C-alpha cells in the first residue's frame, strides 16, 4: 500500500513538473528565431520601428537631441500577450504595455499628433498648458481634464506621480533631467521624442508613426501620413511651375545679433520646396545662423520678401525695436510675413504646435505668398502679413 502510494505521488510530481516546464517553455523572448518586420520610415532619420512575430514592437530613438551620443530602445508588449512574453529589462530603456490609456506629453508638437490619431482624450497632463493652441485640447484643459504640470525642464514630479500616467513622452536638449529620473524610479516610463531634430518638413511629420504603436493605431498613422505626404508633394510640384523665383530673407535681431535659418534647416527646406531663392541657401547649417545686421543688409537689402520675423507682429513694433529694419526693400514695400500673428486663445503660437504635423499647410502658405497666382484661394494658416 505504502509503495503504491509513493509511486502515485512520484507520478503526480512528474506530471506537475512537466506541466510547469511546458508552461515556462511557452514564454516568448526575442531571439534569432523571431521573424521581424522593419516598418518603412521614408523621411524621418531619428527613429526606427521593428515588429516581431510574437507581437513585440521595438522602437529605437537614435537622435533624441542634437549630437546625442547614445540611442534609446523601447519595447512595447500588447497587454493580451504580457503573460506569455519575457524580455531582459537591461536591454531596453523602458518596457511598456500597450495600448496605453493615460499619457503625459511635454511638447506642443505632440498635441496635433494625438488629435490626428483620435486619442487626445488619453492626455491627462502637460507642462505650461497656456502654450497649447488647439481648440479641442484647450476645452479639455479648461474643464480640468488636463493638469498643468509646471515646466518641461522642471516637471512637477509629485503631481505627475499622482496622475499615474502609463507613459510620459519626454523632450530634452540633453540626457539630464532630474524630474524624468525621479519619475522613472517611480515606475513611470519616460520615452524620448526627437521630432524637433528633423531637418525636413516631411521628416518631422512622419513622427506620427512613432506615436502610433503606443495606442495600436499604426494603420491610422500610415493613412494620415500618406495624405499629408501626398498633399505636400503635390503642392511642391505646383511650386515648380512658377515662372519667377523670388528672393527671400528671414529672421530678426536679438540685441545686436541677427538670427536666421541655416541653409539646411527645416525652415530653409520649406523655402526651397516653395521655389524661392533663400539668400542663405548655400550655408550648411541645420540650425540658425548668427550674423551682424550689416552682413544681412549687404546681402538681402533688395530681397523681394521677408518671411519670418521672430516675435514681431507689426511694422511699428519693428521700427520701435530698430531703425535698421526700415532699410530693407521688403519692409518698405510691405512684403513682410510673420507666423507670430497666428495665436491660440492663451497666446501660444500655432506655428510651433501644428506646423511640424501639417507641413503641407505651411507650404501652401508660402506658395500663396510667393506665387499668388498658383494658390489664389488658399486661406493663410500660419504666415500672415505684418500688421
Amino acid at each position: 500500500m505504502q509503495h503504491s502510494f509513493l509511486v502515485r505521488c512520484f507520478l503526480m510530481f512528474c506530471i506537475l513538473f512537466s506541466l510547469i516546464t511546458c508552461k515556462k517553455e511557452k514564454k516568448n523572448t526575442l531571439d534569432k528565431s523571431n521573424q521581424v518586420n522593419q516598418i518603412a520610415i521614408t523621411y524621418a532619420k531619428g527613429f526606427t520601428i521593428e515588429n516581431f512575430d510574437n507581437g513585440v514592437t521595438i522602437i529605437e530613438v537614435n537622435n533624441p537631441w542634437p549630437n546625442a551620443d547614445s540611442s534609446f530602445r523601447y519595447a512595447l508588449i500588447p497587454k493580451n500577450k504580457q503573460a506569455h512574453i519575457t524580455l531582459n529589462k537591461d536591454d531596453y530603456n523602458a518596457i511598456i504595455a500597450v495600448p496605453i490609456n493615460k499619457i503625459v506629453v511635454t511638447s506642443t508638437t505632440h498635441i496635433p499628433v494625438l488629435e490626428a490619431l483620435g486619442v487626445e482624450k488619453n492626455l491627462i497632463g502637460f507642462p505650461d498648458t497656456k502654450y497649447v493652441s488647439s481648440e479641442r485640447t484647450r476645452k479639455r484643459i479648461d474643464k480640468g481634464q488636463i493638469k498643468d504640470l509646471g515646466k518641461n525642464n522642471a516637471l512637477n514630479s509629485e503631481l505627475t506621480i499622482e496622475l499615474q500616467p502609463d507613459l510620459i513622452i519626454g523632450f530634452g536638449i540633453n540626457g539630464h533631467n532630474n524630474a524624468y529620473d525621479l519619475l522613472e524610479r517611480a515606475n513611470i516610463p519616460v520615452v524620448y521624442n526627437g521630432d524637433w531634430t528633423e531637418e525636413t518638413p516631411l521628416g518631422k511629420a512622419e513622427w506620427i508613426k512613432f506615436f502610433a504603436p503606443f495606442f495600436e493605431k499604426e494603420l491610422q498613422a500610415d493613412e494620415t501620413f500618406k495624405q499629408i505626404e501626398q498633399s505636400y508633394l503635390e503642392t511642391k510640384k505646383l511650386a515648380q511651375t512658377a515662372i519667377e523665383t523670388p528672393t527671400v530673407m528671414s529672421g530678426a535681431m536679438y540685441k545686436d545679433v541677427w538670427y536666421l535659418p541655416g541653409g539646411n534647416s527645416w525652415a530653409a527646406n520649406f523655402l526651397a520646396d516653395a521655389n524661392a531663392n533663400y539668400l542663405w541657401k548655400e550655408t550648411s547649417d541645420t540650425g540658425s545662423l548668427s550674423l551682424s545686421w550689416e552682413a544681412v543688409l549687404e546681402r538681402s537689402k533688395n530681397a523681394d520678401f521677408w518671411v519670418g520675423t521672430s516675435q514681431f507682429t507689426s511694422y511699428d513694433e519693428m521700427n520701435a525695436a530698430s531703425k535698421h529694419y526700415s532699410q530693407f526693400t521688403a519692409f518698405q514695400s510691405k512684403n513682410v510675413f510673420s507666423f507670430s500673428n497666428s495665436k491660440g486663445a492663451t497666446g501660444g503660437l500655432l506655428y510651433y504646435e501644428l506646423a511640424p504635423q501639417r507641413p503641407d499647410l505651411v507650404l501652401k502658405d508660402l506658395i500663396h505668398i510667393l506665387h499668388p497666382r498658383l494658390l489664389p484661394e488658399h486661406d493663410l494658416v500660419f504666415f500672415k502679413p505684418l500688421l
Side-chain angles (χ1 to χ4, degrees), residues 338-343 349-351 354-355 358 360-366 368-369 378-385:
S338 171
F339 56 72
S340 294
N341 282 321
S342 297
K343 296 180 179 179
L349 291 179
L350 183 63
Y351 183 76
L354 182 59
R358 291 303 306 272
D360 55 323
L361 297 180
V362 178
L363 190 59
K364 287 178 180 180
D365 273 6
L366 293 174
H368 178 84
I369 292 167
H378 174 71
D379 292 325
L380 294 173
V381 178
F382 305 106
F383 286 101
K384 295 179 180 178

Short mmCIF file of all heavy atoms in Angstrom, two decimals, residues 338-343 349-351 354-355 358 360-366 368-369 378-385:
data_model
loop_
_atom_site.label_atom_id
_atom_site.label_comp_id
_atom_site.label_asym_id
_atom_site.label_seq_id
_atom_site.Cartn_x
_atom_site.Cartn_y
_atom_site.Cartn_z
N SER A 338 4.81 87.10 -41.06
CA SER A 338 5.20 86.53 -39.78
C SER A 338 4.21 85.46 -39.34
O SER A 338 3.02 85.55 -39.62
CB SER A 338 5.27 87.63 -38.72
OG SER A 338 5.46 87.10 -37.42
N PHE A 339 4.72 84.45 -38.62
CA PHE A 339 3.81 83.45 -38.05
C PHE A 339 3.38 83.86 -36.63
O PHE A 339 2.58 83.16 -36.00
CB PHE A 339 4.43 82.05 -38.03
CG PHE A 339 5.75 81.95 -37.30
CD1 PHE A 339 5.83 82.03 -35.92
CD2 PHE A 339 6.93 81.77 -38.01
CE1 PHE A 339 7.04 81.92 -35.25
CE2 PHE A 339 8.15 81.65 -37.35
CZ PHE A 339 8.20 81.74 -35.97
N SER A 340 3.87 84.98 -36.15
CA SER A 340 3.57 85.39 -34.78
C SER A 340 2.18 86.00 -34.62
O SER A 340 1.75 86.31 -33.50
CB SER A 340 4.62 86.40 -34.29
OG SER A 340 5.89 85.77 -34.20
N ASN A 341 1.47 86.19 -35.73
CA ASN A 341 0.11 86.71 -35.66
C ASN A 341 -0.95 85.61 -35.62
O ASN A 341 -2.14 85.90 -35.58
CB ASN A 341 -0.18 87.65 -36.84
CG ASN A 341 0.45 89.02 -36.64
OD1 ASN A 341 0.45 89.55 -35.54
ND2 ASN A 341 1.00 89.58 -37.71
N SER A 342 -0.51 84.36 -35.65
CA SER A 342 -1.44 83.23 -35.56
C SER A 342 -1.27 82.58 -34.19
O SER A 342 -0.35 81.79 -33.97
CB SER A 342 -1.15 82.21 -36.67
OG SER A 342 -1.35 82.78 -37.94
N LYS A 343 -2.18 82.95 -33.26
CA LYS A 343 -2.04 82.52 -31.87
C LYS A 343 -3.29 81.82 -31.38
O LYS A 343 -4.40 82.06 -31.87
CB LYS A 343 -1.75 83.73 -30.97
CG LYS A 343 -0.44 84.43 -31.25
CD LYS A 343 -0.23 85.61 -30.31
CE LYS A 343 1.09 86.30 -30.58
NZ LYS A 343 1.31 87.47 -29.69
N LEU A 349 1.74 80.05 -29.92
CA LEU A 349 1.90 80.22 -31.36
C LEU A 349 1.51 78.93 -32.09
O LEU A 349 2.09 77.87 -31.85
CB LEU A 349 3.33 80.61 -31.71
CG LEU A 349 3.77 82.01 -31.25
CD1 LEU A 349 5.22 82.26 -31.62
CD2 LEU A 349 2.88 83.08 -31.87
N LEU A 350 0.55 79.05 -32.98
CA LEU A 350 0.04 77.89 -33.72
C LEU A 350 1.13 77.25 -34.56
O LEU A 350 1.16 76.02 -34.73
CB LEU A 350 -1.12 78.32 -34.61
CG LEU A 350 -1.83 77.22 -35.39
CD1 LEU A 350 -2.49 76.23 -34.44
CD2 LEU A 350 -2.87 77.83 -36.33
N TYR A 351 2.04 78.05 -35.08
CA TYR A 351 3.11 77.54 -35.94
C TYR A 351 3.97 76.52 -35.21
O TYR A 351 4.29 75.45 -35.75
CB TYR A 351 3.98 78.71 -36.41
CG TYR A 351 5.09 78.33 -37.36
CD1 TYR A 351 4.83 78.05 -38.69
CD2 TYR A 351 6.42 78.29 -36.93
CE1 TYR A 351 5.85 77.72 -39.58
CE2 TYR A 351 7.45 77.97 -37.80
CZ TYR A 351 7.16 77.68 -39.13
OH TYR A 351 8.18 77.36 -39.98
N LEU A 354 1.40 73.23 -34.62
CA LEU A 354 0.78 72.47 -35.70
C LEU A 354 1.65 72.31 -36.94
O LEU A 354 1.53 71.32 -37.66
CB LEU A 354 -0.55 73.13 -36.08
CG LEU A 354 -1.38 72.45 -37.17
CD1 LEU A 354 -1.75 71.03 -36.77
CD2 LEU A 354 -2.64 73.27 -37.46
N ALA A 355 2.53 73.28 -37.21
CA ALA A 355 3.32 73.24 -38.45
C ALA A 355 4.13 71.95 -38.63
O ALA A 355 4.19 71.43 -39.75
CB ALA A 355 4.23 74.46 -38.53
N ARG A 358 1.64 69.43 -39.93
CA ARG A 358 0.97 69.77 -41.18
C ARG A 358 1.86 70.64 -42.07
O ARG A 358 1.57 71.80 -42.36
CB ARG A 358 -0.35 70.49 -40.89
CG ARG A 358 -1.42 69.60 -40.27
CD ARG A 358 -1.74 68.36 -41.13
NE ARG A 358 -2.11 68.71 -42.48
CZ ARG A 358 -3.35 68.98 -42.87
NH1 ARG A 358 -4.34 68.96 -41.99
NH2 ARG A 358 -3.60 69.28 -44.13
N ASP A 360 2.24 70.49 -45.14
CA ASP A 360 1.56 70.83 -46.39
C ASP A 360 0.86 72.18 -46.29
O ASP A 360 0.82 72.95 -47.27
CB ASP A 360 0.57 69.74 -46.79
CG ASP A 360 -0.45 69.43 -45.70
OD1 ASP A 360 -0.08 69.45 -44.51
OD2 ASP A 360 -1.62 69.15 -46.05
N LEU A 361 0.33 72.50 -45.11
CA LEU A 361 -0.32 73.79 -44.93
C LEU A 361 0.71 74.93 -44.90
O LEU A 361 0.43 76.03 -45.40
CB LEU A 361 -1.13 73.80 -43.63
CG LEU A 361 -2.29 72.81 -43.56
CD1 LEU A 361 -3.01 72.92 -42.22
CD2 LEU A 361 -3.27 73.02 -44.72
N VAL A 362 1.88 74.67 -44.33
CA VAL A 362 2.95 75.67 -44.33
C VAL A 362 3.37 75.97 -45.76
O VAL A 362 3.51 77.13 -46.17
CB VAL A 362 4.17 75.19 -43.52
CG1 VAL A 362 5.29 76.23 -43.58
CG2 VAL A 362 3.78 74.92 -42.08
N LEU A 363 3.55 74.92 -46.55
CA LEU A 363 3.99 75.09 -47.93
C LEU A 363 2.95 75.85 -48.75
O LEU A 363 3.29 76.69 -49.58
CB LEU A 363 4.29 73.73 -48.55
CG LEU A 363 5.01 73.75 -49.91
CD1 LEU A 363 6.35 74.47 -49.81
CD2 LEU A 363 5.21 72.33 -50.44
N LYS A 364 1.68 75.56 -48.51
CA LYS A 364 0.62 76.28 -49.21
C LYS A 364 0.62 77.75 -48.84
O LYS A 364 0.39 78.62 -49.70
CB LYS A 364 -0.73 75.64 -48.92
CG LYS A 364 -0.92 74.29 -49.61
CD LYS A 364 -2.25 73.65 -49.27
CE LYS A 364 -2.39 72.30 -49.98
NZ LYS A 364 -3.68 71.63 -49.66
N ASP A 365 0.87 78.04 -47.56
CA ASP A 365 1.01 79.44 -47.14
C ASP A 365 2.09 80.14 -47.95
O ASP A 365 1.90 81.25 -48.48
CB ASP A 365 1.38 79.52 -45.66
CG ASP A 365 0.18 79.50 -44.74
OD1 ASP A 365 -0.95 79.32 -45.22
OD2 ASP A 365 0.39 79.64 -43.52
N LEU A 366 3.25 79.51 -48.02
CA LEU A 366 4.41 80.12 -48.68
C LEU A 366 4.16 80.32 -50.18
O LEU A 366 4.53 81.36 -50.75
CB LEU A 366 5.65 79.27 -48.46
CG LEU A 366 6.15 79.21 -47.01
CD1 LEU A 366 7.31 78.23 -46.87
CD2 LEU A 366 6.59 80.60 -46.53
N HIS A 368 1.21 80.68 -51.62
CA HIS A 368 0.21 81.75 -51.76
C HIS A 368 0.88 83.12 -51.64
O HIS A 368 0.50 84.07 -52.34
CB HIS A 368 -0.85 81.60 -50.67
CG HIS A 368 -1.89 82.68 -50.69
ND1 HIS A 368 -2.99 82.63 -51.51
CD2 HIS A 368 -1.99 83.85 -50.00
CE1 HIS A 368 -3.73 83.71 -51.32
NE2 HIS A 368 -3.14 84.47 -50.41
N ILE A 369 1.89 83.23 -50.78
CA ILE A 369 2.60 84.49 -50.57
C ILE A 369 3.57 84.77 -51.72
O ILE A 369 3.58 85.88 -52.28
CB ILE A 369 3.37 84.45 -49.24
CG1 ILE A 369 2.39 84.44 -48.06
CG2 ILE A 369 4.34 85.62 -49.13
CD1 ILE A 369 3.04 84.10 -46.73
N HIS A 378 -6.26 80.04 -51.40
CA HIS A 378 -5.80 79.49 -50.12
C HIS A 378 -5.91 80.53 -49.00
O HIS A 378 -5.52 81.68 -49.15
CB HIS A 378 -4.34 79.04 -50.25
CG HIS A 378 -3.73 78.60 -48.95
ND1 HIS A 378 -4.09 77.44 -48.31
CD2 HIS A 378 -2.79 79.19 -48.15
CE1 HIS A 378 -3.39 77.31 -47.18
NE2 HIS A 378 -2.60 78.36 -47.07
N ASP A 379 -6.46 80.12 -47.86
CA ASP A 379 -6.52 80.97 -46.68
C ASP A 379 -5.30 80.72 -45.82
O ASP A 379 -5.03 79.57 -45.43
CB ASP A 379 -7.79 80.68 -45.87
CG ASP A 379 -9.06 81.08 -46.59
OD1 ASP A 379 -9.03 82.10 -47.30
OD2 ASP A 379 -10.08 80.37 -46.46
N LEU A 380 -4.55 81.77 -45.55
CA LEU A 380 -3.31 81.63 -44.79
C LEU A 380 -3.59 81.08 -43.39
O LEU A 380 -4.50 81.52 -42.70
CB LEU A 380 -2.60 82.99 -44.69
CG LEU A 380 -2.07 83.57 -46.00
CD1 LEU A 380 -1.55 84.98 -45.80
CD2 LEU A 380 -0.99 82.68 -46.59
N VAL A 381 -2.78 80.10 -43.00
CA VAL A 381 -2.94 79.44 -41.70
C VAL A 381 -1.90 79.95 -40.71
O VAL A 381 -2.23 80.29 -39.57
CB VAL A 381 -2.82 77.91 -41.84
CG1 VAL A 381 -2.95 77.23 -40.49
CG2 VAL A 381 -3.88 77.38 -42.82
N PHE A 382 -0.64 79.98 -41.12
CA PHE A 382 0.46 80.33 -40.20
C PHE A 382 1.05 81.70 -40.53
O PHE A 382 1.05 82.61 -39.69
CB PHE A 382 1.55 79.26 -40.27
CG PHE A 382 1.08 77.86 -40.00
CD1 PHE A 382 0.95 76.94 -41.02
CD2 PHE A 382 0.76 77.48 -38.71
CE1 PHE A 382 0.52 75.65 -40.77
CE2 PHE A 382 0.33 76.19 -38.43
CZ PHE A 382 0.20 75.28 -39.48
N PHE A 383 1.60 81.84 -41.74
CA PHE A 383 2.28 83.09 -42.12
C PHE A 383 1.26 84.10 -42.59
O PHE A 383 0.50 83.85 -43.54
CB PHE A 383 3.30 82.82 -43.22
CG PHE A 383 4.54 82.11 -42.73
CD1 PHE A 383 4.70 80.75 -42.92
CD2 PHE A 383 5.54 82.82 -42.09
CE1 PHE A 383 5.83 80.10 -42.46
CE2 PHE A 383 6.68 82.19 -41.64
CZ PHE A 383 6.83 80.82 -41.82
N LYS A 384 1.26 85.28 -41.96
CA LYS A 384 0.32 86.33 -42.32
C LYS A 384 1.06 87.66 -42.44
O LYS A 384 2.14 87.82 -41.86
CB LYS A 384 -0.78 86.41 -41.25
CG LYS A 384 -1.63 85.13 -41.21
CD LYS A 384 -2.70 85.17 -40.16
CE LYS A 384 -3.50 83.87 -40.16
NZ LYS A 384 -4.54 83.84 -39.12
N PRO A 385 0.51 88.59 -43.20
CA PRO A 385 1.17 89.88 -43.37
C PRO A 385 1.38 90.58 -42.04
O PRO A 385 0.54 90.50 -41.13
CB PRO A 385 0.23 90.67 -44.27
CG PRO A 385 -0.65 89.64 -44.91
CD PRO A 385 -0.78 88.53 -43.93
#
